[in-house]
Amino acid sequence: MMLRRNRVLEALAEGRPALGVATQMNSPEAVEAIGAVGYDFTYIDCEHGSFFLEGAVQMIRASEAVGLTPIIRVPGHDPTFITRVLDAGAMGVIVPNVSTRGEAEQVVAAAKYLDGDNGGRRGACPGTRASWHQTTDWPAFARWSNANTMVWVLIESPEGVANAREIAAVPGLGAVMLGPFDLAHAIGRPGEPRHPQVAQAYDDVMAAARDSGVEVVASLFSAEPASMTREKAEWLEKGARILVAGSDRRMLVRALADRLAALRA
C-alpha cells in the first residue's frame, strides 16, 4: 500500500520542531520550492488564498512530489469541505475560528473515520485520491489515515481563549494554532498582534494545550534572520513545537523589496 509520510509527526518524534510555510498563492511551483529547500510542511490557505479546491489539489500533488506534508486551511467548519480536501490527499486540516468544545468535536469527527466509539463521521469511500484510487487495502488505509491525519484548530476570538481548556481536551485534536491578528482585532487592538493583551491570551491558550498534551502551532512575524532566530527560541521555550516561518506572499514581497532597495542604493 502506498502511504504518504507525515513529516510533521516525524519531526516531533525526532525531538525537533516541525517547520512550515503558508501557501496563499495559486502556485504549485511555489509549493515545490518550499519542499525543495527542506521545510517539513506547507499549509495551503483556502481561507485567504486566491484559489479554491481545484487549485489546492494541484498544490497537494506538488507537495507530494517533493516530500512536503500538505495541510489545508479550510474556509470554515463545513464537514463536507473537510472531507473533500482529505479525500484529495491532504494530510490534515486547519479549521479557523473554533471557539467552543462542541465546534472542535465536530471538526475532529469530520476528519476521522468511524473506529469503535471515536465518533468519526468522515465519509468512507475507497475510491478517492487519498486512497490511491481504490488500489489500497481499505481497512488498513482507514486505520493509517486516522493515525496520521492532523486536525489543528485556530483559536482567534475571546470566546475561544476562554474555552481553550475545553477545546484542547477534545480527543483526536492534534494542535491548537494561534490567530493573533484576528484576536487583536476582536479585542479592539487591530493590527497589534504583539499587544500584551494578545500575548497574555495566548500564554493562557498554550498552558491549556500543554496540560492536555496537545501541540501548539505558532507563526513567526520577524523578517530578519537574527530576530527570527530569537522569536523561534521564545516560542520553543513557551512550548510551541510547530512553527510557520511566514507566507509565500510575504516572503516574495520581502525579497523583491530588499533587492529593489539594493539596486536603488
Side-chain angles (χ1 to χ4, degrees), residues 210-236:
R210 285 195 302 269
D211 290 347
S212 291
V214 171
E215 299 293 340
V216 174
V217 184
S219 296
L220 307 181
F221 295 108
S222 300
E224 300 298 331
S227 57
M228 179 170 285
T229 300
R230 288 193 298 271
E231 188 179 6
K232 172 194 169 185
E234 291 169 0
W235 280 119
L236 292 177

PDB file of all heavy atoms in Angstrom, residues 210-236:
ATOM      1  N   ARG A 210      -0.693  22.569  26.756  1.00  0.00           N
ATOM      2  CA  ARG A 210       0.321  21.739  27.428  1.00  0.00           C
ATOM      3  C   ARG A 210      -0.327  20.773  28.407  1.00  0.00           C
ATOM      4  O   ARG A 210       0.046  19.601  28.502  1.00  0.00           O
ATOM      5  CB  ARG A 210       1.328  22.628  28.155  1.00  0.00           C
ATOM      6  CG  ARG A 210       2.326  23.333  27.258  1.00  0.00           C
ATOM      7  CD  ARG A 210       3.493  23.887  28.064  1.00  0.00           C
ATOM      8  NE  ARG A 210       3.041  24.810  29.101  1.00  0.00           N
ATOM      9  CZ  ARG A 210       2.926  26.130  28.929  1.00  0.00           C
ATOM     10  NH1 ARG A 210       3.207  26.655  27.750  1.00  0.00           N
ATOM     11  NH2 ARG A 210       2.526  26.902  29.905  1.00  0.00           N
ATOM     12  N   ASP A 211      -1.304  21.256  29.162  1.00  0.00           N
ATOM     13  CA  ASP A 211      -1.953  20.413  30.164  1.00  0.00           C
ATOM     14  C   ASP A 211      -2.708  19.253  29.527  1.00  0.00           C
ATOM     15  O   ASP A 211      -2.905  18.208  30.164  1.00  0.00           O
ATOM     16  CB  ASP A 211      -2.909  21.251  31.025  1.00  0.00           C
ATOM     17  CG  ASP A 211      -2.175  22.210  31.948  1.00  0.00           C
ATOM     18  OD1 ASP A 211      -0.951  22.050  32.106  1.00  0.00           O
ATOM     19  OD2 ASP A 211      -2.829  23.123  32.498  1.00  0.00           O
ATOM     20  N   SER A 212      -3.145  19.424  28.273  1.00  0.00           N
ATOM     21  CA  SER A 212      -3.867  18.356  27.577  1.00  0.00           C
ATOM     22  C   SER A 212      -2.969  17.542  26.658  1.00  0.00           C
ATOM     23  O   SER A 212      -3.448  16.621  25.979  1.00  0.00           O
ATOM     24  CB  SER A 212      -5.023  18.954  26.759  1.00  0.00           C
ATOM     25  OG  SER A 212      -6.033  19.464  27.619  1.00  0.00           O
ATOM     26  N   GLY A 213      -1.696  17.876  26.601  1.00  0.00           N
ATOM     27  CA  GLY A 213      -0.780  17.144  25.727  1.00  0.00           C
ATOM     28  C   GLY A 213      -0.999  17.415  24.254  1.00  0.00           C
ATOM     29  O   GLY A 213      -0.703  16.570  23.409  1.00  0.00           O
ATOM     30  N   VAL A 214      -1.516  18.608  23.943  1.00  0.00           N
ATOM     31  CA  VAL A 214      -1.800  18.992  22.559  1.00  0.00           C
ATOM     32  C   VAL A 214      -0.711  19.947  22.074  1.00  0.00           C
ATOM     33  O   VAL A 214      -0.256  20.817  22.826  1.00  0.00           O
ATOM     34  CB  VAL A 214      -3.199  19.656  22.468  1.00  0.00           C
ATOM     35  CG1 VAL A 214      -3.432  20.265  21.104  1.00  0.00           C
ATOM     36  CG2 VAL A 214      -4.280  18.635  22.785  1.00  0.00           C
ATOM     37  N   GLU A 215      -0.303  19.796  20.816  1.00  0.00           N
ATOM     38  CA  GLU A 215       0.727  20.668  20.260  1.00  0.00           C
ATOM     39  C   GLU A 215       0.187  22.079  20.029  1.00  0.00           C
ATOM     40  O   GLU A 215      -1.019  22.296  19.919  1.00  0.00           O
ATOM     41  CB  GLU A 215       1.244  20.098  18.937  1.00  0.00           C
ATOM     42  CG  GLU A 215       1.889  18.729  19.049  1.00  0.00           C
ATOM     43  CD  GLU A 215       3.193  18.741  19.831  1.00  0.00           C
ATOM     44  OE1 GLU A 215       3.813  19.818  19.979  1.00  0.00           O
ATOM     45  OE2 GLU A 215       3.595  17.656  20.293  1.00  0.00           O
ATOM     46  N   VAL A 216       1.128  23.026  19.925  1.00  0.00           N
ATOM     47  CA  VAL A 216       0.796  24.414  19.616  1.00  0.00           C
ATOM     48  C   VAL A 216       1.517  24.812  18.340  1.00  0.00           C
ATOM     49  O   VAL A 216       2.710  24.536  18.175  1.00  0.00           O
ATOM     50  CB  VAL A 216       1.201  25.362  20.762  1.00  0.00           C
ATOM     51  CG1 VAL A 216       0.990  26.825  20.361  1.00  0.00           C
ATOM     52  CG2 VAL A 216       0.410  25.046  22.030  1.00  0.00           C
ATOM     53  N   VAL A 217       0.770  25.444  17.423  1.00  0.00           N
ATOM     54  CA  VAL A 217       1.322  25.958  16.172  1.00  0.00           C
ATOM     55  C   VAL A 217       1.446  27.466  16.295  1.00  0.00           C
ATOM     56  O   VAL A 217       0.457  28.154  16.582  1.00  0.00           O
ATOM     57  CB  VAL A 217       0.419  25.619  14.973  1.00  0.00           C
ATOM     58  CG1 VAL A 217       1.070  26.072  13.669  1.00  0.00           C
ATOM     59  CG2 VAL A 217       0.101  24.126  14.933  1.00  0.00           C
ATOM     60  N   ALA A 218       2.641  28.000  16.094  1.00  0.00           N
ATOM     61  CA  ALA A 218       2.874  29.442  16.205  1.00  0.00           C
ATOM     62  C   ALA A 218       3.431  29.975  14.900  1.00  0.00           C
ATOM     63  O   ALA A 218       4.215  29.304  14.215  1.00  0.00           O
ATOM     64  CB  ALA A 218       3.847  29.748  17.348  1.00  0.00           C
ATOM     65  N   SER A 219       3.025  31.194  14.542  1.00  0.00           N
ATOM     66  CA  SER A 219       3.521  31.862  13.332  1.00  0.00           C
ATOM     67  C   SER A 219       4.577  32.885  13.712  1.00  0.00           C
ATOM     68  O   SER A 219       4.407  33.635  14.682  1.00  0.00           O
ATOM     69  CB  SER A 219       2.370  32.557  12.602  1.00  0.00           C
ATOM     70  OG  SER A 219       1.422  31.614  12.151  1.00  0.00           O
ATOM     71  N   LEU A 220       5.664  32.911  12.951  1.00  0.00           N
ATOM     72  CA  LEU A 220       6.747  33.860  13.185  1.00  0.00           C
ATOM     73  C   LEU A 220       6.504  35.110  12.350  1.00  0.00           C
ATOM     74  O   LEU A 220       6.151  35.020  11.182  1.00  0.00           O
ATOM     75  CB  LEU A 220       8.088  33.234  12.817  1.00  0.00           C
ATOM     76  CG  LEU A 220       8.406  31.883  13.473  1.00  0.00           C
ATOM     77  CD1 LEU A 220       9.797  31.398  13.029  1.00  0.00           C
ATOM     78  CD2 LEU A 220       8.336  31.956  14.977  1.00  0.00           C
ATOM     79  N   PHE A 221       6.713  36.264  12.967  1.00  0.00           N
ATOM     80  CA  PHE A 221       6.463  37.529  12.271  1.00  0.00           C
ATOM     81  C   PHE A 221       7.739  38.302  11.963  1.00  0.00           C
ATOM     82  O   PHE A 221       7.702  39.293  11.251  1.00  0.00           O
ATOM     83  CB  PHE A 221       5.528  38.411  13.094  1.00  0.00           C
ATOM     84  CG  PHE A 221       4.146  37.835  13.243  1.00  0.00           C
ATOM     85  CD1 PHE A 221       3.716  37.313  14.452  1.00  0.00           C
ATOM     86  CD2 PHE A 221       3.273  37.790  12.166  1.00  0.00           C
ATOM     87  CE1 PHE A 221       2.453  36.766  14.590  1.00  0.00           C
ATOM     88  CE2 PHE A 221       2.012  37.249  12.284  1.00  0.00           C
ATOM     89  CZ  PHE A 221       1.598  36.736  13.500  1.00  0.00           C
ATOM     90  N   SER A 222       8.865  37.875  12.508  1.00  0.00           N
ATOM     91  CA  SER A 222      10.116  38.590  12.277  1.00  0.00           C
ATOM     92  C   SER A 222      10.549  38.442  10.828  1.00  0.00           C
ATOM     93  O   SER A 222      10.347  37.390  10.208  1.00  0.00           O
ATOM     94  CB  SER A 222      11.214  38.053  13.196  1.00  0.00           C
ATOM     95  OG  SER A 222      10.851  38.216  14.550  1.00  0.00           O
ATOM     96  N   ALA A 223      11.170  39.487  10.310  1.00  0.00           N
ATOM     97  CA  ALA A 223      11.622  39.478   8.924  1.00  0.00           C
ATOM     98  C   ALA A 223      13.116  39.183   8.797  1.00  0.00           C
ATOM     99  O   ALA A 223      13.547  38.520   7.858  1.00  0.00           O
ATOM    100  CB  ALA A 223      11.307  40.816   8.255  1.00  0.00           C
ATOM    101  N   GLU A 224      13.920  39.666   9.743  1.00  0.00           N
ATOM    102  CA  GLU A 224      15.360  39.480   9.666  1.00  0.00           C
ATOM    103  C   GLU A 224      15.758  38.153  10.310  1.00  0.00           C
ATOM    104  O   GLU A 224      15.162  37.735  11.300  1.00  0.00           O
ATOM    105  CB  GLU A 224      16.081  40.632  10.378  1.00  0.00           C
ATOM    106  CG  GLU A 224      15.786  42.001   9.800  1.00  0.00           C
ATOM    107  CD  GLU A 224      16.233  42.110   8.351  1.00  0.00           C
ATOM    108  OE1 GLU A 224      17.201  41.421   7.969  1.00  0.00           O
ATOM    109  OE2 GLU A 224      15.620  42.887   7.602  1.00  0.00           O
ATOM    110  N   PRO A 225      16.780  37.489   9.766  1.00  0.00           N
ATOM    111  CA  PRO A 225      17.184  36.178  10.305  1.00  0.00           C
ATOM    112  C   PRO A 225      17.497  36.196  11.796  1.00  0.00           C
ATOM    113  O   PRO A 225      17.099  35.284  12.528  1.00  0.00           O
ATOM    114  CB  PRO A 225      18.421  35.830   9.463  1.00  0.00           C
ATOM    115  CG  PRO A 225      18.208  36.545   8.172  1.00  0.00           C
ATOM    116  CD  PRO A 225      17.524  37.827   8.538  1.00  0.00           C
ATOM    117  N   ALA A 226      18.212  37.234  12.261  1.00  0.00           N
ATOM    118  CA  ALA A 226      18.591  37.265  13.676  1.00  0.00           C
ATOM    119  C   ALA A 226      17.371  37.380  14.578  1.00  0.00           C
ATOM    120  O   ALA A 226      17.252  36.670  15.585  1.00  0.00           O
ATOM    121  CB  ALA A 226      19.549  38.432  13.929  1.00  0.00           C
ATOM    122  N   SER A 227      16.436  38.254  14.201  1.00  0.00           N
ATOM    123  CA  SER A 227      15.237  38.408  15.026  1.00  0.00           C
ATOM    124  C   SER A 227      14.341  37.182  14.920  1.00  0.00           C
ATOM    125  O   SER A 227      13.676  36.801  15.891  1.00  0.00           O
ATOM    126  CB  SER A 227      14.470  39.671  14.630  1.00  0.00           C
ATOM    127  OG  SER A 227      14.116  39.653  13.262  1.00  0.00           O
ATOM    128  N   MET A 228      14.333  36.531  13.757  1.00  0.00           N
ATOM    129  CA  MET A 228      13.548  35.301  13.620  1.00  0.00           C
ATOM    130  C   MET A 228      14.115  34.203  14.508  1.00  0.00           C
ATOM    131  O   MET A 228      13.363  33.428  15.109  1.00  0.00           O
ATOM    132  CB  MET A 228      13.511  34.848  12.163  1.00  0.00           C
ATOM    133  CG  MET A 228      12.735  33.546  11.952  1.00  0.00           C
ATOM    134  SD  MET A 228      12.426  33.148  10.217  1.00  0.00           S
ATOM    135  CE  MET A 228      11.122  34.317   9.829  1.00  0.00           C
ATOM    136  N   THR A 229      15.437  34.123  14.604  1.00  0.00           N
ATOM    137  CA  THR A 229      16.059  33.131  15.475  1.00  0.00           C
ATOM    138  C   THR A 229      15.652  33.356  16.925  1.00  0.00           C
ATOM    139  O   THR A 229      15.334  32.402  17.653  1.00  0.00           O
ATOM    140  CB  THR A 229      17.589  33.185  15.340  1.00  0.00           C
ATOM    141  OG1 THR A 229      17.946  32.900  13.983  1.00  0.00           O
ATOM    142  CG2 THR A 229      18.253  32.173  16.258  1.00  0.00           C
ATOM    143  N   ARG A 230      15.620  34.609  17.353  1.00  0.00           N
ATOM    144  CA  ARG A 230      15.200  34.917  18.722  1.00  0.00           C
ATOM    145  C   ARG A 230      13.729  34.571  18.927  1.00  0.00           C
ATOM    146  O   ARG A 230      13.355  34.007  19.968  1.00  0.00           O
ATOM    147  CB  ARG A 230      15.436  36.396  19.030  1.00  0.00           C
ATOM    148  CG  ARG A 230      16.897  36.778  19.185  1.00  0.00           C
ATOM    149  CD  ARG A 230      17.046  38.156  19.788  1.00  0.00           C
ATOM    150  NE  ARG A 230      16.467  39.192  18.938  1.00  0.00           N
ATOM    151  CZ  ARG A 230      17.144  39.833  17.979  1.00  0.00           C
ATOM    152  NH1 ARG A 230      18.415  39.525  17.744  1.00  0.00           N
ATOM    153  NH2 ARG A 230      16.561  40.766  17.252  1.00  0.00           N
ATOM    154  N   GLU A 231      12.904  34.916  17.939  1.00  0.00           N
ATOM    155  CA  GLU A 231      11.476  34.627  18.056  1.00  0.00           C
ATOM    156  C   GLU A 231      11.243  33.116  18.114  1.00  0.00           C
ATOM    157  O   GLU A 231      10.415  32.636  18.909  1.00  0.00           O
ATOM    158  CB  GLU A 231      10.726  35.242  16.875  1.00  0.00           C
ATOM    159  CG  GLU A 231       9.212  35.156  17.014  1.00  0.00           C
ATOM    160  CD  GLU A 231       8.477  35.791  15.843  1.00  0.00           C
ATOM    161  OE1 GLU A 231       9.130  36.202  14.858  1.00  0.00           O
ATOM    162  OE2 GLU A 231       7.240  35.867  15.915  1.00  0.00           O
ATOM    163  N   LYS A 232      11.950  32.375  17.285  1.00  0.00           N
ATOM    164  CA  LYS A 232      11.839  30.916  17.322  1.00  0.00           C
ATOM    165  C   LYS A 232      12.188  30.388  18.710  1.00  0.00           C
ATOM    166  O   LYS A 232      11.469  29.548  19.272  1.00  0.00           O
ATOM    167  CB  LYS A 232      12.766  30.296  16.280  1.00  0.00           C
ATOM    168  CG  LYS A 232      12.872  28.773  16.383  1.00  0.00           C
ATOM    169  CD  LYS A 232      14.035  28.238  15.573  1.00  0.00           C
ATOM    170  CE  LYS A 232      14.302  26.773  15.900  1.00  0.00           C
ATOM    171  NZ  LYS A 232      15.502  26.254  15.215  1.00  0.00           N
ATOM    172  N   ALA A 233      13.291  30.875  19.284  1.00  0.00           N
ATOM    173  CA  ALA A 233      13.708  30.408  20.607  1.00  0.00           C
ATOM    174  C   ALA A 233      12.655  30.724  21.666  1.00  0.00           C
ATOM    175  O   ALA A 233      12.398  29.911  22.565  1.00  0.00           O
ATOM    176  CB  ALA A 233      15.050  31.042  20.980  1.00  0.00           C
ATOM    177  N   GLU A 234      12.028  31.885  21.561  1.00  0.00           N
ATOM    178  CA  GLU A 234      10.989  32.259  22.518  1.00  0.00           C
ATOM    179  C   GLU A 234       9.795  31.326  22.432  1.00  0.00           C
ATOM    180  O   GLU A 234       9.253  30.892  23.462  1.00  0.00           O
ATOM    181  CB  GLU A 234      10.553  33.707  22.267  1.00  0.00           C
ATOM    182  CG  GLU A 234      11.627  34.737  22.624  1.00  0.00           C
ATOM    183  CD  GLU A 234      11.275  36.124  22.117  1.00  0.00           C
ATOM    184  OE1 GLU A 234      10.191  36.281  21.488  1.00  0.00           O
ATOM    185  OE2 GLU A 234      12.079  37.052  22.333  1.00  0.00           O
ATOM    186  N   TRP A 235       9.362  30.997  21.212  1.00  0.00           N
ATOM    187  CA  TRP A 235       8.217  30.097  21.052  1.00  0.00           C
ATOM    188  C   TRP A 235       8.541  28.696  21.551  1.00  0.00           C
ATOM    189  O   TRP A 235       7.719  28.046  22.203  1.00  0.00           O
ATOM    190  CB  TRP A 235       7.769  30.052  19.599  1.00  0.00           C
ATOM    191  CG  TRP A 235       6.916  31.208  19.176  1.00  0.00           C
ATOM    192  CD1 TRP A 235       7.192  32.124  18.198  1.00  0.00           C
ATOM    193  CD2 TRP A 235       5.641  31.567  19.711  1.00  0.00           C
ATOM    194  NE1 TRP A 235       6.176  33.037  18.099  1.00  0.00           N
ATOM    195  CE2 TRP A 235       5.200  32.722  19.014  1.00  0.00           C
ATOM    196  CE3 TRP A 235       4.829  31.047  20.713  1.00  0.00           C
ATOM    197  CZ2 TRP A 235       3.989  33.345  19.282  1.00  0.00           C
ATOM    198  CZ3 TRP A 235       3.613  31.666  20.993  1.00  0.00           C
ATOM    199  CH2 TRP A 235       3.208  32.801  20.278  1.00  0.00           C
ATOM    200  N   LEU A 236       9.747  28.226  21.235  1.00  0.00           N
ATOM    201  CA  LEU A 236      10.130  26.895  21.701  1.00  0.00           C
ATOM    202  C   LEU A 236      10.170  26.840  23.222  1.00  0.00           C
ATOM    203  O   LEU A 236       9.748  25.850  23.833  1.00  0.00           O
ATOM    204  CB  LEU A 236      11.487  26.496  21.120  1.00  0.00           C
ATOM    205  CG  LEU A 236      11.541  26.258  19.610  1.00  0.00           C
ATOM    206  CD1 LEU A 236      12.970  25.946  19.176  1.00  0.00           C
ATOM    207  CD2 LEU A 236      10.612  25.115  19.200  1.00  0.00           C
TER     208      LEU A 236
END
